Amino acid sequence: WDDADFSQGVGTTWYQEYSTLSSTQDPLVRDVEAKIEKYLKVPYAAKWTLKVTWEKAPAYLSQQDDTQTSTYQAVLTTDGNRSYALLLYQDGGMRWDYAKLAATNVLIGFS
């Protein structure tokens, strides 16, 4: 949607790396593997997984309005050959007001 702006001390970002070296895996890793297998219809066993969380993140420029915050996560995972990124949003979705964006020709995706 936009860049997050933590310059006003509102919101938090943190990350957690999940070990997949032992036979017992964290429930999050098992959930990620299950989602990839369910939606992409491919077998998947993670060798590395990273979860990044942005909590109550205001949109850039937060000096204008830091009341509409959003909580979301990115989960990056790889099996050594294929890599995936899962984008997870708090129930209710993004709460940033897209009408306040400087650009009106916003595209969603990657290049």
Side-chain angles (χ1 to χ4, degrees):
W1 283 77
D2 203 355
D3 291 331
D5 183 0
F6 296 99
S7 65
Q8 301 301 307
V10 176
T12 307
T13 304
W14 67 85
Y15 67 92
Q16 182 172 353
E17 185 176 9
Y18 292 85
S19 173
T20 55
L21 298 176
S22 66
S23 60
T24 58
Q25 290 185 344
D26 188 278
L28 178 117
V29 174
R30 289 195 305 269
D31 184 52
V32 166
E33 291 171 336
K35 280 180 172 48
I36 291 170
E37 290 179 357
K38 178 181 178 182
Y39 295 113
L40 299 178
K41 309 279 191 248
V42 296
Y44 184 72
K47 289 189 177 177
W48 178 85
T49 302
L50 174 72
K51 177 180 72 174
V52 181
T53 303
W54 293 266
E55 183 180 38
K56 297 181 181 176
Y60 182 82
L61 288 163
S62 71
Q63 295 96 336
Q64 296 174 358
D65 181 11
D66 66 5
T67 60
Q68 289 188 322
T69 63
S70 294
T71 297
Y72 50 97
Q73 294 177 323
V75 178
L76 309 176
T77 185
T78 186
D79 65 3
N81 292 315
R82 295 170 293 172
S83 299
Y84 299 96
L86 285 71
L87 303 176
L88 310 169
Y89 298 91
Q90 180 181 20
D91 191 25
M94 296 295 278
R95 293 181 293 190
W96 292 344
D97 185 357
Y98 66 87
K100 293 182 180 178
L101 294 175
T104 56
N105 59 342
V106 178
L107 298 175
I108 298 174
F110 66 94
S111 60

